[in-house]
Amino acid sequence: MTQVSPVIQVQDVSFSYNREPTLTNLTFEVPEREFLAIIGPNGGGKSTLIKLILGLLEPNHGRILVKGRSPRKMSKIFGYVPQDVNVNIQFPIAVMDVILMGRLRHRGHFGINKQDRQRVMELMTMTGIPGLENRKIRDLSAGQRERVFIARALAADPDILILDEPTASVDTAGKTELYALLKDLNETKTIIVVSHDLMIVSSYVKSVACVNQGIHYHPKNEITETMLQMGYHCPVELIAHGQPHRILKTHGDF
Amino acid sequence: MIEALQFEFMRNAVFAGLLASILCGIIGSFVVVNRLIFLAGGIAHAAYGGIGIAFFFGIPYIYGTIGVSLAAAFIMTAVTIKAKNRQDTFIGVLWAVGMAMGVILIDLTPGYHVDLMSYLFGSILAVPSADIRWMAGLGAVTLVLTILFYRDILAISYDAEFARLRGVPVNLLYFIYIALVAVSIVFIIRVVGLILVIALMTIPPYIAEKYVRSLMMMMVLSVLLSVVFNMTGLWVSYHMDLTSGATIIMVAATGFFISLGVDQVISFSRKRKTQRSSRKMLKTKKDAL
């Protein structure tokens, strides 16, 4: 593998909400233009790890660097799609205004202008929701809302795109579309995606990390035995047909 | 009503009602979309402690209530940010302590006893000109801040984490708006009283929320509804010689139930429409067969 400078460095990071440790002694680096899938059991700390990288949480121990600086200082570099897109669903807000949030303080300019609206329309076409700009967010389907949130993340022109289970409420055809879009975006952006979805792990990502209090980082798109052992089993939707050996290495395959 | 306007107290009442409407509409919408109704109730009741302090130490009423309501608001907000799952308990405690402190301090003040009823139900007919100036200033500050920082306020209310990533000073703006909530409550108490301040802050935004597609429109519609409720209430109370605060709330409540009725009619006619169109579709399918 060619040596690419890391955009994210996680150095001996530990974090706990209460007494129980959520994450302990995590150390890994994410190189530039990586496409990383984070898998792991529920409650294993995937979302927590993402919030630490985004600077929304502070580690109790260790440090995280984004392009050599603290995540809080670099927060605008991120495009973030949170896990729960149904939060605040009764809020009186139109799709356009949600996506425009991604343009807040864009390149230092205050307020929203014509170009921002133009860009939102482009992004809506790109994410497969053209013409919905004046619809209320509560009138959309969960899958459409998911796309609105992806468009909002992209509106910030981020260098690093972080998605927390972005396909949870999208149908199979929609998933393929979204993964293809992410693959295109990966030409210029670093992408981290939390997913339980085998499809994305097998055919789109460049590396896989299993997070369950600790981390097992694997710089190939495979799930290794170690991952399965550390998480008892990583809850990947293992489907038998297709090419399972691409996903799961067999014993003695080293 | 027109002939009544020749009295200064009546003119002040109208101004107070209009200014309270601007505050209720804007601040009330913020309170409703951020689900801060319980916090607003806590501030309103804790503020009674400020009355006690003002009387006991002989300082103007307004400084006592503003001081205590701001202090209560900041403590409640700090707790909300630090320990989210404990905030309702904490607000409940401050709510009670503020009230109790007010009652005891007024007991301890010799001679003079305030009219508790006017604090509970307001006295729009007795709002002094100085208060009108305060409210006008507060209304202007609220209006300018909301127009300037509209996109930020919207982002904070909808998704604070995302707003933080975009570099919006989330905590600072949140504290400023909570302070506006606290001070607005003090003045709206003058109009409709402690018990009913929450009703006037939540009923217009609640009605407005259902019919609009933006926070801005929600604020505008809430202000308009508030004006209608305040002026109608004032007019009815003047002609029927009723307590103004309670009358204003009854008018607002009537508006609330009318809106619920309108919703029923709308959803009923929608159902009829879809039923009819699905029947039509079935029929055309049958015909095609």
Side-chain angles (χ1 to χ4, degrees), chain B residues 21-93:
Chain B
S21 299
I22 292 174
L23 291 174
C24 280
I26 298 174
I27 296 298
S29 296
F30 177 80
V31 166
V32 168
V33 295
N34 280 283
R35 303 200 189 101
L36 296 174
I37 296 166
F38 194 57
L39 181 119
I43 294 171
H45 286 79
Y48 191 69
I51 305 237
I53 289 177
F55 276 97
F56 189 75
F57 293 102
I59 54 172
Y61 148 97
I62 215 81
Y63 298 124
T65 43
I66 288 180
V68 170
S69 67
L70 278 177
F74 286 153
I75 294 170
M76 289 172 190
T77 312
V79 173
T80 307
I81 290 170
K82 287 270 170 228
K84 226 166 190 142
N85 45 357
R86 275 276 155 264
Q87 56 157 320
D88 50 349
T89 315
F90 214 87
I91 291 171
V93 170

Side-chain angles (χ1 to χ4, degrees), chain B residues 278-289:
Chain B
S278 61
R279 230 179 276 142
K280 224 185 215 167
M281 244 158 59
L282 263 175
K283 200 167 173 269
T284 43
K285 257 189 198 165
K286 262 185 206 157
D287 289 350
L289 282 171

Side-chain angles (χ1 to χ4, degrees), chain B:
Chain B
M1 186 93 175
I2 303 296
E3 78 273 19
L5 283 176
Q6 59 187 299
F7 302 113
E8 197 197 348
F9 71 86
M10 208 57 204
R11 281 200 300 274
N12 277 0
V14 170
F15 283 135
L18 293 176
L19 289 167
S21 299
I22 292 174
L23 291 174
C24 280
I26 298 174
I27 296 298
S29 296
F30 177 80
V31 166
V32 168
V33 295
N34 280 283
R35 303 200 189 101
L36 296 174
I37 296 166
F38 194 57
L39 181 119
I43 294 171
H45 286 79
Y48 191 69
I51 305 237
I53 289 177
F55 276 97
F56 189 75
F57 293 102
I59 54 172
Y61 148 97
I62 215 81
Y63 298 124
T65 43
I66 288 180
V68 170
S69 67
L70 278 177
F74 286 153
I75 294 170
M76 289 172 190
T77 312
V79 173
T80 307
I81 290 170
K82 287 270 170 228
K84 226 166 190 142
N85 45 357
R86 275 276 155 264
Q87 56 157 320
D88 50 349
T89 315
F90 214 87
I91 291 171
V93 170
L94 277 182
W95 176 312
V97 167
M99 273 314 262
M101 188 172 76
V103 171
I104 288 175
L105 284 174
I106 288 169
D107 280 349
L108 292 176
T109 311
Y112 185 70
H113 281 268
V114 244
D115 177 15
L116 186 62
M117 277 302 278
S118 92
Y119 188 73
L120 291 182
F121 289 99
S123 44
I124 195 170
L125 297 176
V127 178
S129 300
D131 276 25
I132 303 281
R133 284 194 291 276
W134 271 90
M135 285 172 92
L138 185 60
V141 169
T142 307
L143 209 58
V144 169
L145 276 178
T146 306
I147 291 169
L148 269 179
F149 292 98
Y150 175 68
R151 291 272 161 197
D152 289 355
I153 297 299
L154 178 65
I156 290 172
S157 306
Y158 187 68
D159 187 345
E161 278 188 345
F162 193 86
R164 183 166 288 138
L165 288 178
R166 295 308 307 152
V168 176
V170 174
N171 284 348
L172 177 69
L173 275 174
Y174 196 70
F175 266 106
I176 289 174
Y177 265 74
I178 294 293
L180 287 176
V181 171
V183 182
S184 302
I185 283 174
V186 168
F187 286 103
I188 299 168
I189 283 176
R190 296 286 266 188
V191 181
V192 290
L194 164 67
I195 306 283
L196 306 171
V197 62
I198 300 309
L200 203 53
M201 271 200 158
T202 50
I203 291 176
Y206 177 81
I207 297 173
E209 190 181 30
K210 294 182 291 188
Y211 306 110
V212 297
R213 59 185 74 233
S214 75
L215 181 60
M216 183 72 90
M217 284 316 293
M218 181 176 171
M219 288 174 168
V220 171
L221 187 54
S222 302
V223 170
L224 295 178
L225 284 170
S226 232
V227 168
V228 171
F229 295 156
N230 267 302
M231 294 302 117
T232 312
L234 195 58
W235 182 79
V236 171
S237 79
Y238 177 81
H239 278 280
M240 299 179 69
D241 197 20
L242 300 168
T243 307
S244 54
T247 315
I248 291 170
I249 296 305
M250 285 315 283
V251 171
T254 309
F256 174 76
F257 287 114
I258 289 174
S259 94
L260 286 186
V262 168
D263 291 350
Q264 288 299 316
V265 172
I266 289 175
S267 74
F268 182 71
S269 69
R270 259 196 211 143
K271 238 183 238 161
R272 288 276 302 265
K273 223 176 173 181
T274 46
Q275 268 173 5
R276 224 178 292 147
S277 64
S278 61
R279 230 179 276 142
K280 224 185 215 167
M281 244 158 59
L282 263 175
K283 200 167 173 269
T284 43
K285 257 189 198 165
K286 262 185 206 157
D287 289 350
L289 282 171

Side-chain angles (χ1 to χ4, degrees), chain A residues 164-177:
Chain A
D164 199 346
E165 297 193 31
T167 54
S169 41
V170 178
D171 58 25
T172 316
K175 274 181 195 176
T176 318
E177 253 173 63

